[in-house]
Amino acid sequence: MRVSFTYLVPSLLAVILHATVLGLVIANWSEAAPTQPFGDELFYIKANLVSENPHKQKEIQEGRSIKVEQAAHELTSFDVPTHSREPDTPIAVKDTYQMDRRKDFLPLNSETAGEEVLDPVTKRLIKLEKPLMILGFKEENGRMAVTDNEKTQAYISQIQRDIVQNWSRPPSARNGMQVQLRVFLVPTGEVIEVILEKRSGNAAFDRSAVLAVTKAERFLVPSDSRKFEKNFREFTILFRPEDLRL
Amino acid sequence: MVNESLSILDLVINASAVVQAVMAILVLASLVSWIMIFQRWFTLAGISRNAIQFENDFWSGEKDLRQLYFELADHAHSSVGIESIFSSGFKEFTRSKQEGLDAERVMENVQRAMRVALSREEERLETHLPFLATVGSTSPYVGLFGTVWGIMNSFRGLATANQVSLAVVAPGISEALVATAIGLFAAIPAVIAYNRFSAQVEVIMNRFEAFTEEFSSILHRSILES
Protein backbone atom coordinates (compact mmCIF):
# COMPACT_ATOMS: atom_id res chain seq x y z
CA MET A 1 0.00 0.00 0.00
CA ARG A 2 2.70 2.41 1.01
CA VAL A 3 4.91 1.46 -1.91
CA SER A 4 2.10 2.06 -4.38
CA PHE A 5 1.48 5.46 -2.85
CA THR A 6 5.12 6.55 -2.98
CA TYR A 7 5.13 5.83 -6.70
CA LEU A 8 1.62 7.01 -7.49
CA VAL A 9 2.24 10.72 -6.99
CA PRO A 10 5.56 10.76 -8.89
CA SER A 11 3.97 8.84 -11.76
CA LEU A 12 1.12 11.28 -11.96
CA LEU A 13 3.50 14.23 -11.89
CA ALA A 14 5.70 12.70 -14.58
CA VAL A 15 2.73 12.01 -16.85
CA ILE A 16 1.41 15.54 -16.35
CA LEU A 17 4.84 16.98 -17.12
CA HIS A 18 5.16 15.00 -20.35
CA ALA A 19 1.66 15.86 -21.42
CA THR A 20 2.35 19.56 -20.83
CA VAL A 21 5.60 19.48 -22.78
CA LEU A 22 3.97 17.61 -25.66
CA GLY A 23 1.05 20.02 -25.67
CA LEU A 24 3.33 23.04 -25.73
CA VAL A 25 5.44 21.59 -28.52
CA ILE A 26 2.41 20.81 -30.66
CA ALA A 27 0.80 24.17 -29.97
CA ASN A 28 3.90 26.18 -30.86
CA TRP A 29 4.97 24.05 -33.77
CA SER A 30 3.24 26.04 -36.50
CA GLU A 31 5.15 29.21 -35.59
CA ALA A 32 8.44 27.36 -35.70
CA ALA A 33 7.66 25.84 -39.10
CA PRO A 34 9.30 27.64 -42.01
CA THR A 35 7.03 29.86 -44.05
CA GLN A 36 6.81 29.69 -47.80
CA PRO A 37 9.12 32.34 -49.27
CA PHE A 38 6.56 33.47 -51.79
CA GLY A 39 2.85 33.67 -51.11
CA ASP A 40 1.04 31.42 -53.51
CA GLU A 41 -2.28 33.20 -53.28
CA LEU A 42 -1.06 36.75 -53.30
CA PHE A 43 1.14 36.81 -56.31
CA TYR A 44 -1.01 36.61 -59.37
CA ILE A 45 -0.57 37.97 -62.78
CA LYS A 46 -3.95 38.40 -64.33
CA ALA A 47 -3.82 38.24 -68.05
CA ASN A 48 -6.99 39.74 -69.33
CA LEU A 49 -7.30 40.15 -72.99
CA VAL A 50 -7.12 43.84 -73.71
CA SER A 51 -6.40 44.62 -77.30
CA GLU A 52 -5.41 42.95 -80.46
CA ASN A 53 -3.68 45.08 -82.97
CA PRO A 54 -1.47 43.16 -85.37
CA HIS A 55 -0.25 46.33 -87.08
CA LYS A 56 1.14 47.83 -83.95
CA GLN A 57 2.66 44.64 -82.59
CA LYS A 58 6.05 45.03 -84.17
CA GLU A 59 6.60 48.49 -82.84
CA ILE A 60 5.66 47.39 -79.36
CA GLN A 61 8.05 44.48 -79.56
CA GLU A 62 10.90 46.83 -80.36
CA GLY A 63 10.09 49.58 -77.92
CA ARG A 64 9.05 47.50 -74.99
CA SER A 65 12.20 46.53 -73.17
CA ILE A 66 13.54 50.06 -73.24
CA LYS A 67 10.18 51.33 -72.08
CA VAL A 68 10.11 49.16 -69.02
CA GLU A 69 13.67 49.98 -68.12
CA GLN A 70 12.73 53.60 -68.37
CA ALA A 71 9.57 53.13 -66.41
CA ALA A 72 11.32 51.23 -63.67
CA HIS A 73 13.98 53.88 -63.55
CA GLU A 74 11.43 56.62 -63.46
CA LEU A 75 9.66 54.99 -60.57
CA THR A 76 12.79 54.65 -58.48
CA SER A 77 13.95 58.16 -59.18
CA PHE A 78 10.98 59.63 -57.37
CA ASP A 79 12.74 61.20 -54.44
CA VAL A 80 9.66 61.70 -52.30
CA PRO A 81 10.46 60.35 -48.84
CA THR A 82 8.57 57.19 -48.04
CA HIS A 83 6.94 58.42 -44.86
CA SER A 84 5.38 61.50 -46.42
CA ARG A 85 4.00 59.63 -49.38
CA GLU A 86 0.23 59.64 -49.64
CA PRO A 87 -1.39 56.24 -49.95
CA ASP A 88 -2.88 57.10 -53.33
CA THR A 89 0.34 58.35 -54.86
CA PRO A 90 1.31 55.01 -56.39
CA ILE A 91 -1.88 55.02 -58.39
CA ALA A 92 -1.14 58.51 -59.62
CA VAL A 93 2.33 57.40 -60.62
CA LYS A 94 0.79 54.43 -62.27
CA ASP A 95 -1.44 56.69 -64.28
CA THR A 96 1.44 58.58 -65.81
CA TYR A 97 2.89 55.25 -66.73
CA GLN A 98 -0.45 54.31 -68.13
CA MET A 99 -0.25 57.22 -70.54
CA ASP A 100 2.94 55.80 -71.94
CA ARG A 101 1.44 52.44 -72.38
CA ARG A 102 -1.72 53.70 -73.89
CA LYS A 103 0.19 55.00 -76.81
CA ASP A 104 1.40 51.51 -77.58
CA PHE A 105 -2.08 50.30 -77.96
CA LEU A 106 -3.25 53.13 -80.14
CA PRO A 107 -4.88 52.12 -83.34
CA LEU A 108 -3.04 53.46 -86.35
CA ASN A 109 -5.54 56.21 -86.96
CA SER A 110 -5.55 57.40 -83.37
CA GLU A 111 -3.53 60.50 -84.04
CA THR A 112 -6.38 61.95 -85.99
CA ALA A 113 -9.22 60.41 -83.99
CA GLY A 114 -8.34 62.00 -80.66
CA GLU A 115 -9.14 61.07 -77.10
CA GLU A 116 -12.66 59.71 -77.52
CA VAL A 117 -11.50 56.76 -79.58
CA LEU A 118 -9.08 55.67 -76.89
CA ASP A 119 -11.51 55.64 -74.06
CA PRO A 120 -12.70 52.02 -74.07
CA VAL A 121 -9.15 50.74 -74.27
CA THR A 122 -7.92 53.04 -71.57
CA LYS A 123 -10.73 52.17 -69.24
CA ARG A 124 -10.03 48.54 -69.63
CA LEU A 125 -6.37 49.05 -68.96
CA ILE A 126 -7.03 50.98 -65.81
CA LYS A 127 -9.54 48.40 -64.67
CA LEU A 128 -6.96 45.75 -65.31
CA GLU A 129 -4.33 47.59 -63.35
CA LYS A 130 -6.42 47.93 -60.19
CA PRO A 131 -6.36 44.31 -58.97
CA LEU A 132 -2.67 44.20 -59.63
CA MET A 133 -2.10 47.18 -57.43
CA ILE A 134 -4.15 45.71 -54.65
CA LEU A 135 -2.38 42.41 -54.90
CA GLY A 136 0.92 44.17 -54.90
CA PHE A 137 0.12 46.07 -51.73
CA LYS A 138 -1.07 42.98 -49.97
CA GLU A 139 2.24 41.44 -50.70
CA GLU A 140 4.13 44.34 -49.25
CA ASN A 141 5.05 43.58 -45.66
CA GLY A 142 5.48 47.10 -44.37
CA ARG A 143 9.24 47.21 -44.34
CA MET A 144 9.63 47.03 -48.08
CA ALA A 145 10.00 50.40 -49.67
CA VAL A 146 7.16 51.56 -51.83
CA THR A 147 9.44 52.16 -54.77
CA ASP A 148 10.55 48.53 -54.70
CA ASN A 149 6.98 47.48 -54.90
CA GLU A 150 6.29 49.78 -57.80
CA LYS A 151 9.31 48.51 -59.62
CA THR A 152 8.00 45.01 -59.16
CA GLN A 153 4.67 46.17 -60.49
CA ALA A 154 6.35 47.57 -63.57
CA TYR A 155 7.95 44.22 -64.24
CA ILE A 156 4.70 42.42 -63.60
CA SER A 157 2.77 44.52 -66.03
CA GLN A 158 5.48 44.12 -68.63
CA ILE A 159 5.31 40.35 -68.28
CA GLN A 160 1.57 40.59 -68.54
CA ARG A 161 1.75 42.59 -71.73
CA ASP A 162 4.23 40.17 -73.26
CA ILE A 163 1.89 37.32 -72.56
CA VAL A 164 -1.19 39.10 -73.84
CA GLN A 165 0.57 39.98 -77.05
CA ASN A 166 1.40 36.37 -77.70
CA TRP A 167 -2.00 35.14 -76.79
CA SER A 168 -4.25 34.17 -79.63
CA ARG A 169 -7.54 32.98 -78.33
CA PRO A 170 -9.27 30.05 -79.91
CA PRO A 171 -12.74 30.75 -81.31
CA SER A 172 -14.24 28.61 -78.59
CA ALA A 173 -13.08 31.00 -75.86
CA ARG A 174 -15.90 32.44 -73.79
CA ASN A 175 -16.23 35.07 -71.13
CA GLY A 176 -15.67 33.68 -67.64
CA MET A 177 -13.37 30.92 -68.76
CA GLN A 178 -10.41 30.73 -66.54
CA VAL A 179 -7.13 28.92 -66.76
CA GLN A 180 -4.37 29.14 -64.24
CA LEU A 181 -0.74 28.47 -65.09
CA ARG A 182 2.33 28.22 -62.95
CA VAL A 183 5.44 29.54 -64.68
CA PHE A 184 9.02 28.78 -63.68
CA LEU A 185 11.79 31.11 -64.75
CA VAL A 186 15.55 31.10 -64.54
CA PRO A 187 17.30 34.31 -63.42
CA THR A 188 17.87 35.40 -67.00
CA GLY A 189 14.10 35.51 -67.47
CA GLU A 190 13.79 32.49 -69.70
CA VAL A 191 10.79 30.24 -69.21
CA ILE A 192 11.85 26.75 -68.22
CA GLU A 193 8.55 25.23 -67.34
CA VAL A 194 4.84 25.93 -67.56
CA ILE A 195 2.39 23.91 -65.53
CA LEU A 196 -1.37 23.93 -65.92
CA GLU A 197 -2.66 24.44 -62.40
CA LYS A 198 -6.35 24.86 -63.05
CA ARG A 199 -7.90 23.90 -66.32
CA SER A 200 -10.75 25.75 -67.88
CA GLY A 201 -12.33 22.63 -69.27
CA ASN A 202 -11.69 23.73 -72.80
CA ALA A 203 -8.53 22.06 -74.09
CA ALA A 204 -7.99 24.52 -76.90
CA PHE A 205 -8.24 27.45 -74.51
CA ASP A 206 -5.78 25.82 -72.11
CA ARG A 207 -3.38 25.18 -74.95
CA SER A 208 -3.60 28.76 -76.14
CA ALA A 209 -2.70 30.02 -72.67
CA VAL A 210 0.30 27.71 -72.36
CA LEU A 211 1.37 28.69 -75.85
CA ALA A 212 1.13 32.38 -75.00
CA VAL A 213 3.70 31.90 -72.27
CA THR A 214 6.01 29.58 -74.15
CA LYS A 215 5.96 31.81 -77.20
CA ALA A 216 7.09 34.74 -75.10
CA GLU A 217 10.15 32.62 -74.27
CA ARG A 218 11.84 35.23 -72.22
CA PHE A 219 10.58 37.86 -69.80
CA LEU A 220 12.22 40.92 -68.45
CA VAL A 221 12.93 40.25 -64.76
CA PRO A 222 14.75 42.22 -62.06
CA SER A 223 18.48 41.73 -62.12
CA ASP A 224 18.50 41.86 -58.33
CA SER A 225 18.53 38.18 -57.44
CA ARG A 226 16.74 38.68 -54.14
CA LYS A 227 13.77 40.30 -55.85
CA PHE A 228 13.85 37.72 -58.57
CA GLU A 229 13.75 34.87 -56.05
CA LYS A 230 10.95 36.51 -54.15
CA ASN A 231 8.50 37.06 -56.96
CA PHE A 232 9.70 35.87 -60.30
CA ARG A 233 11.34 32.49 -59.77
CA GLU A 234 7.89 31.01 -60.07
CA PHE A 235 4.56 32.73 -60.32
CA THR A 236 0.96 32.11 -61.18
CA ILE A 237 -0.86 33.54 -64.12
CA LEU A 238 -4.58 33.70 -64.47
CA PHE A 239 -6.01 33.92 -67.95
CA ARG A 240 -9.54 35.19 -68.17
CA PRO A 241 -10.98 36.85 -71.24
CA GLU A 242 -13.49 39.47 -70.25
CA ASP A 243 -13.94 41.48 -73.38
CA LEU A 244 -15.72 38.85 -75.41
CA ARG A 245 -19.33 39.22 -76.36
CA LEU A 246 -20.25 35.61 -75.85
CA MET B 1 4.88 19.81 -54.27
CA VAL B 2 5.85 19.12 -50.69
CA ASN B 3 4.50 22.23 -49.08
CA GLU B 4 2.10 20.77 -46.54
CA SER B 5 3.08 21.95 -43.10
CA LEU B 6 4.97 19.30 -41.19
CA SER B 7 3.48 19.08 -37.74
CA ILE B 8 5.39 17.16 -35.13
CA LEU B 9 2.77 14.44 -35.12
CA ASP B 10 3.16 13.99 -38.87
CA LEU B 11 6.88 13.70 -38.37
CA VAL B 12 6.47 10.98 -35.77
CA ILE B 13 3.79 9.07 -37.67
CA ASN B 14 5.63 9.13 -40.99
CA ALA B 15 8.93 8.01 -39.51
CA SER B 16 10.25 4.55 -40.29
CA ALA B 17 9.66 1.67 -37.88
CA VAL B 18 13.15 1.69 -36.41
CA VAL B 19 13.02 5.42 -35.73
CA GLN B 20 9.56 5.03 -34.22
CA ALA B 21 10.82 2.25 -31.95
CA VAL B 22 13.72 4.43 -30.86
CA MET B 23 11.34 7.29 -30.14
CA ALA B 24 9.05 5.01 -28.14
CA ILE B 25 11.97 3.70 -26.07
CA LEU B 26 13.17 7.20 -25.39
CA VAL B 27 9.76 8.52 -24.42
CA LEU B 28 9.37 5.57 -22.05
CA ALA B 29 12.83 6.20 -20.61
CA SER B 30 12.00 9.85 -20.12
CA LEU B 31 8.71 9.01 -18.43
CA VAL B 32 10.27 6.45 -16.08
CA SER B 33 13.22 8.68 -15.28
CA TRP B 34 10.86 11.49 -14.35
CA ILE B 35 8.92 9.11 -12.10
CA MET B 36 12.25 8.26 -10.45
CA ILE B 37 13.19 11.90 -10.22
CA PHE B 38 10.00 12.86 -8.44
CA GLN B 39 10.13 9.80 -6.22
CA ARG B 40 13.74 10.46 -5.20
CA TRP B 41 13.00 14.10 -4.72
CA PHE B 42 10.22 13.45 -2.24
CA THR B 43 12.06 10.61 -0.50
CA LEU B 44 15.34 12.44 -0.05
CA ALA B 45 13.60 15.59 1.10
CA GLY B 46 11.59 13.52 3.59
CA ILE B 47 14.67 11.69 4.90
CA SER B 48 16.72 14.82 5.41
CA ARG B 49 13.81 16.64 7.04
CA ASN B 50 13.33 13.65 9.30
CA ALA B 51 17.06 13.57 10.17
CA ILE B 52 17.10 17.25 11.14
CA GLN B 53 14.04 16.81 13.32
CA PHE B 54 15.44 13.71 15.01
CA GLU B 55 18.80 15.31 15.68
CA ASN B 56 17.04 18.30 17.23
CA ASP B 57 15.11 15.92 19.51
CA PHE B 58 18.26 13.96 20.25
CA TRP B 59 20.44 16.90 21.22
CA SER B 60 17.79 18.89 23.05
CA GLY B 61 18.29 16.58 26.05
CA GLU B 62 14.60 16.69 26.95
CA LYS B 63 14.27 12.93 26.56
CA ASP B 64 16.75 10.27 27.55
CA LEU B 65 17.83 7.61 25.06
CA ARG B 66 15.50 4.94 26.34
CA GLN B 67 12.55 7.25 26.00
CA LEU B 68 13.51 8.14 22.43
CA TYR B 69 13.93 4.47 21.57
CA PHE B 70 10.49 3.50 22.80
CA GLU B 71 8.92 6.45 21.05
CA LEU B 72 10.41 5.25 17.76
CA ALA B 73 9.34 1.67 18.42
CA ASP B 74 5.79 2.89 19.01
CA HIS B 75 5.62 4.38 15.53
CA ALA B 76 3.50 2.25 13.24
CA HIS B 77 5.78 2.54 10.23
CA SER B 78 9.26 1.15 10.12
CA SER B 79 11.79 3.81 11.01
CA VAL B 80 13.90 5.20 8.18
CA GLY B 81 17.17 7.05 7.91
CA ILE B 82 18.76 8.32 11.05
CA GLU B 83 16.03 6.80 13.24
CA SER B 84 16.78 3.28 12.10
CA ILE B 85 20.52 3.78 12.77
CA PHE B 86 19.71 5.02 16.25
CA SER B 87 17.28 2.18 17.04
CA SER B 88 19.54 -0.59 15.78
CA GLY B 89 22.48 0.86 17.73
CA PHE B 90 20.51 1.27 20.92
CA LYS B 91 18.87 -2.14 20.60
CA GLU B 92 22.26 -3.81 20.26
CA PHE B 93 23.60 -1.73 23.17
CA THR B 94 20.87 -2.81 25.60
CA ARG B 95 21.06 -6.43 24.47
CA SER B 96 24.84 -6.62 24.84
CA LYS B 97 24.72 -4.92 28.19
CA GLN B 98 22.13 -7.40 29.45
CA GLU B 99 24.40 -10.23 28.39
CA GLY B 100 27.02 -8.73 30.69
CA LEU B 101 29.76 -8.29 28.09
CA ASP B 102 32.62 -5.97 28.89
CA ALA B 103 32.69 -2.37 27.57
CA GLU B 104 34.95 -3.06 24.60
CA ARG B 105 32.82 -5.96 23.32
CA VAL B 106 29.62 -3.99 23.78
CA MET B 107 30.98 -1.08 21.79
CA GLU B 108 32.22 -3.41 19.07
CA ASN B 109 28.77 -4.96 18.71
CA VAL B 110 27.06 -1.58 18.74
CA GLN B 111 29.34 -0.17 16.09
CA ARG B 112 28.87 -3.23 13.89
CA ALA B 113 25.10 -3.00 14.18
CA MET B 114 25.14 0.67 13.32
CA ARG B 115 27.45 0.10 10.36
CA VAL B 116 25.02 -2.46 9.00
CA ALA B 117 22.13 -0.07 9.46
CA LEU B 118 24.14 2.69 7.81
CA SER B 119 24.89 0.64 4.71
CA ARG B 120 21.26 -0.41 4.48
CA GLU B 121 20.26 3.23 4.63
CA GLU B 122 22.80 4.16 1.98
CA GLU B 123 21.35 1.51 -0.28
CA ARG B 124 17.90 2.88 0.32
CA LEU B 125 19.04 6.42 -0.47
CA GLU B 126 20.69 5.39 -3.69
CA THR B 127 17.87 3.37 -5.20
CA HIS B 128 17.05 4.43 -8.79
CA LEU B 129 20.14 6.60 -9.06
CA PRO B 130 21.91 4.07 -11.33
CA PHE B 131 18.85 4.10 -13.56
CA LEU B 132 19.02 7.87 -13.88
CA ALA B 133 22.72 7.64 -14.67
CA THR B 134 22.04 5.05 -17.37
CA VAL B 135 19.28 7.10 -18.98
CA GLY B 136 21.43 10.22 -18.82
CA SER B 137 24.40 8.64 -20.48
CA THR B 138 22.78 6.35 -23.06
CA SER B 139 19.67 8.09 -24.31
CA PRO B 140 21.57 10.65 -26.43
CA TYR B 141 23.25 7.73 -28.17
CA VAL B 142 19.98 5.91 -28.63
CA GLY B 143 18.49 9.08 -30.12
CA LEU B 144 21.52 9.51 -32.32
CA PHE B 145 21.12 5.97 -33.53
CA GLY B 146 17.54 6.73 -34.55
CA THR B 147 18.68 9.87 -36.33
CA VAL B 148 21.47 8.16 -38.20
CA TRP B 149 19.12 5.41 -39.25
CA GLY B 150 16.51 7.91 -40.46
CA ILE B 151 19.05 9.98 -42.38
CA MET B 152 20.48 6.83 -43.91
CA ASN B 153 17.05 5.90 -45.20
CA SER B 154 16.28 9.35 -46.52
CA PHE B 155 19.56 9.43 -48.44
CA ARG B 156 18.87 6.00 -49.80
CA GLY B 157 15.55 7.38 -51.04
CA LEU B 158 17.49 10.21 -52.65
CA ALA B 159 19.55 7.76 -54.66
CA THR B 160 16.49 6.47 -56.51
CA ALA B 161 14.76 9.84 -56.96
CA ASN B 162 15.32 11.24 -60.43
CA GLN B 163 14.69 14.83 -59.51
CA VAL B 164 16.96 15.67 -56.61
CA SER B 165 16.02 18.59 -54.44
CA LEU B 166 16.28 19.55 -50.83
CA ALA B 167 12.57 18.97 -50.44
CA VAL B 168 13.08 15.26 -51.10
CA VAL B 169 15.48 14.70 -48.18
CA ALA B 170 14.47 17.46 -45.79
CA PRO B 171 11.35 15.78 -44.31
CA GLY B 172 13.26 12.55 -43.68
CA ILE B 173 16.08 14.35 -41.92
CA SER B 174 13.61 16.39 -39.92
CA GLU B 175 11.85 13.19 -38.86
CA ALA B 176 15.10 11.61 -37.90
CA LEU B 177 16.22 14.58 -35.87
CA VAL B 178 13.12 14.29 -33.71
CA ALA B 179 14.70 11.13 -32.28
CA THR B 180 17.80 13.05 -31.16
CA ALA B 181 15.61 15.76 -29.70
CA ILE B 182 13.68 13.23 -27.63
CA GLY B 183 16.94 11.58 -26.56
CA LEU B 184 18.30 14.87 -25.30
CA PHE B 185 14.98 15.66 -23.69
CA ALA B 186 15.25 12.42 -21.73
CA ALA B 187 18.97 12.71 -20.99
CA ILE B 188 19.34 16.26 -19.72
CA PRO B 189 16.96 16.05 -16.73
CA ALA B 190 18.28 12.59 -15.88
CA VAL B 191 21.88 13.82 -15.75
CA ILE B 192 20.97 16.91 -13.74
CA ALA B 193 18.87 14.86 -11.33
CA TYR B 194 21.58 12.23 -10.99
CA ASN B 195 24.22 14.80 -10.08
CA ARG B 196 21.94 16.62 -7.71
CA PHE B 197 20.70 13.50 -5.98
CA SER B 198 24.12 11.93 -5.60
CA ALA B 199 25.39 15.14 -4.01
CA GLN B 200 22.37 15.14 -1.74
CA VAL B 201 22.90 11.47 -0.81
CA GLU B 202 26.48 12.26 0.06
CA VAL B 203 25.43 15.12 2.33
CA ILE B 204 22.88 12.91 4.06
CA MET B 205 25.40 10.06 4.44
CA ASN B 206 27.94 12.44 5.99
CA ARG B 207 25.33 13.54 8.45
CA PHE B 208 24.49 9.90 9.27
CA GLU B 209 28.16 8.99 9.76
CA ALA B 210 28.75 11.96 12.02
CA PHE B 211 25.69 11.00 14.03
CA THR B 212 26.88 7.38 14.26
CA GLU B 213 30.25 8.47 15.68
CA GLU B 214 28.69 10.87 18.13
CA PHE B 215 26.10 8.35 19.23
CA SER B 216 28.68 5.61 19.81
CA SER B 217 30.84 7.96 21.85
CA ILE B 218 27.81 8.83 24.00
CA LEU B 219 27.07 5.13 24.51
CA HIS B 220 30.72 4.47 25.31
CA ARG B 221 30.71 7.18 27.94
CA SER B 222 27.47 5.87 29.47
CA ILE B 223 28.81 2.30 29.68
CA LEU B 224 31.96 3.54 31.38
CA GLU B 225 29.91 5.59 33.88
CA SER B 226 27.68 2.65 34.89
Side-chain angles (χ1 to χ4, degrees):
Chain A
M1 184 65 205
R2 193 166 155 266
V3 171
S4 71
F5 178 73
T6 52
Y7 285 95
L8 186 68
V9 176
S11 311
L12 275 176
L13 285 172
V15 169
I16 289 167
L17 183 103
H18 281 78
T20 315
V21 168
L22 191 66
L24 284 175
V25 167
I26 289 172
N28 294 326
W29 191 263
S30 56
E31 284 148 51
T35 48
Q36 246 0 53
F38 23 72
D40 278 337
E41 289 83 37
L42 291 183
F43 191 77
Y44 265 98
I45 292 185
K46 285 197 177 180
N48 293 24
L49 203 60
V50 278
S51 161
E52 279 183 330
N53 197 329
H55 303 290
K56 204 66 188 169
Q57 206 125 0
K58 224 180 174 86
E59 272 181 51
I60 297 163
Q61 287 280 347
E62 283 163 10
R64 122 193 133 196
S65 51
I66 308 152
K67 275 252 162 56
V68 159
E69 293 276 49
Q70 275 175 353
H73 185 70
E74 226 173 85
L75 292 168
T76 40
S77 63
F78 269 100
D79 50 1
V80 186
T82 318
H83 56 86
S84 68
R85 194 177 280 251
E86 296 297 316
D88 57 348
T89 318
I91 293 162
V93 172
K94 219 59 205 183
D95 280 343
T96 61
Y97 178 46
Q98 212 76 70
M99 298 298 280
D100 265 4
R101 281 183 49 180
R102 189 164 52 181
K103 282 184 204 126
D104 293 345
F105 287 94
L106 278 179
L108 277 175
N109 59 349
S110 62
E111 286 89 346
T112 52
E115 281 292 307
E116 298 93 319
V117 185
L118 296 176
D119 265 345
V121 180
T122 318
K123 266 184 207 156
R124 210 150 41 213
L125 271 169
I126 290 167
K127 199 175 78 187
L128 168 74
E129 211 58 57
K130 281 280 162 59
L132 270 178
M133 294 299 290
I134 293 157
L135 287 165
F137 275 111
K138 256 197 225 163
E139 188 181 48
E140 188 183 23
N141 54 0
R143 285 187 309 239
M144 204 202 293
V146 182
T147 48
D148 272 2
N149 192 41
E150 283 174 14
K151 239 168 137 180
T152 309
Q153 289 303 320
Y155 282 110
I156 290 172
S157 48
Q158 181 58 48
I159 289 173
Q160 184 192 344
R161 269 192 292 167
D162 286 357
I163 291 168
V164 169
Q165 272 164 23
N166 288 308
W167 189 15
S168 51
R169 303 161 294 167
S172 56
R174 294 288 178 274
N175 270 348
M177 273 186 175
Q178 201 166 307
V179 55
Q180 191 175 316
L181 303 182
R182 192 145 188 89
V183 181
F184 296 85
L185 301 185
V186 289
T188 55
E190 271 151 282
V191 179
I192 50 168
E193 201 176 357
V194 182
I195 293 175
L196 259 172
E197 276 195 337
K198 279 181 202 148
R199 292 166 192 279
S200 60
N202 182 332
F205 184 70
D206 292 352
R207 213 163 33 241
S208 78
V210 175
L211 215 62
V213 178
T214 47
K215 258 161 73 185
E217 276 178 359
R218 185 171 180 167
F219 296 114
L220 200 64
V221 291
S223 47
D224 182 352
S225 66
R226 203 174 54 83
K227 277 178 208 142
F228 173 77
E229 291 296 336
K230 189 173 181 299
N231 288 329
F232 296 98
R233 169 68 74 180
E234 50 176 296
F235 54 84
T236 307
I237 311 176
L238 194 69
F239 286 80
R240 180 163 55 193
E242 279 174 346
D243 61 334
L244 296 172
R245 289 202 181 79
L246 290 167
Chain B
M1 289 253 152
V2 194
N3 58 356
E4 65 216 54
S5 65
L6 293 161
S7 87
I8 188 150
L9 286 179
D10 289 340
L11 287 182
V12 172
I13 290 163
N14 295 331
S16 70
V18 175
V19 179
Q20 273 179 343
V22 165
M23 285 176 190
I25 289 169
L26 289 173
V27 167
L28 200 69
S30 168
L31 200 66
V32 175
S33 76
W34 270 100
I35 293 174
M36 302 306 179
I37 288 169
F38 282 123
Q39 201 270 341
R40 279 297 87 190
W41 192 348
F42 298 147
T43 311
L44 291 183
I47 286 174
S48 73
R49 207 187 313 118
N50 185 288
I52 290 167
Q53 205 185 341
F54 181 80
E55 280 193 325
N56 282 344
D57 277 0
F58 184 82
W59 294 110
S60 65
E62 285 166 12
K63 303 162 186 168
D64 69 351
L65 298 180
R66 189 169 298 277
Q67 209 176 332
L68 268 177
Y69 175 71
F70 284 121
E71 233 168 65
L72 289 181
D74 281 348
H75 277 313
H77 64 82
S78 58
S79 52
V80 289
I82 203 161
E83 293 173 351
S84 90
I85 294 168
F86 170 79
S87 346
S88 60
F90 194 76
K91 196 194 282 170
E92 187 58 38
F93 175 73
T94 45
R95 197 180 294 157
S96 304
K97 222 167 68 171
Q98 272 167 8
E99 284 172 12
L101 300 171
D102 60 8
E104 287 308 305
R105 293 291 304 280
V106 170
M107 283 323 294
E108 219 171 86
N109 286 350
V110 166
Q111 269 165 359
R112 195 183 302 119
M114 287 205 290
R115 213 162 38 238
V116 169
L118 196 66
S119 66
R120 205 180 295 130
E121 284 312 303
E122 185 171 19
E123 199 178 297
R124 200 200 298 250
L125 287 173
E126 283 178 348
T127 29
H128 307 324
L129 289 194
F131 178 82
L132 288 180
T134 309
V135 168
S137 55
T138 56
S139 59
Y141 296 120
V142 176
L144 201 61
F145 167 71
T147 298
V148 168
W149 190 270
I151 290 180
M152 239 164 66
N153 276 349
S154 75
F155 276 120
R156 215 180 49 195
L158 191 66
T160 54
N162 47 8
Q163 198 183 5
V164 175
S165 74
L166 194 59
V168 178
V169 273
I173 293 175
S174 184
E175 265 165 34
L177 284 172
V178 173
T180 304
I182 299 176
L184 292 177
F185 176 77
I188 293 168
V191 170
I192 292 174
Y194 176 74
N195 287 336
R196 195 185 122 80
F197 290 149
S198 46
Q200 211 174 342
V201 164
E202 202 160 311
V203 168
I204 292 172
M205 282 312 291
N206 281 341
R207 186 188 279 270
F208 284 1
E209 273 160 24
F211 174 78
T212 311
E213 293 304 313
E214 283 165 344
F215 185 49
S216 62
S217 75
I218 285 170
L219 288 180
H220 195 215
R221 209 178 300 131
S222 80
I223 207 169
L224 287 181
E225 278 166 10
S226 63

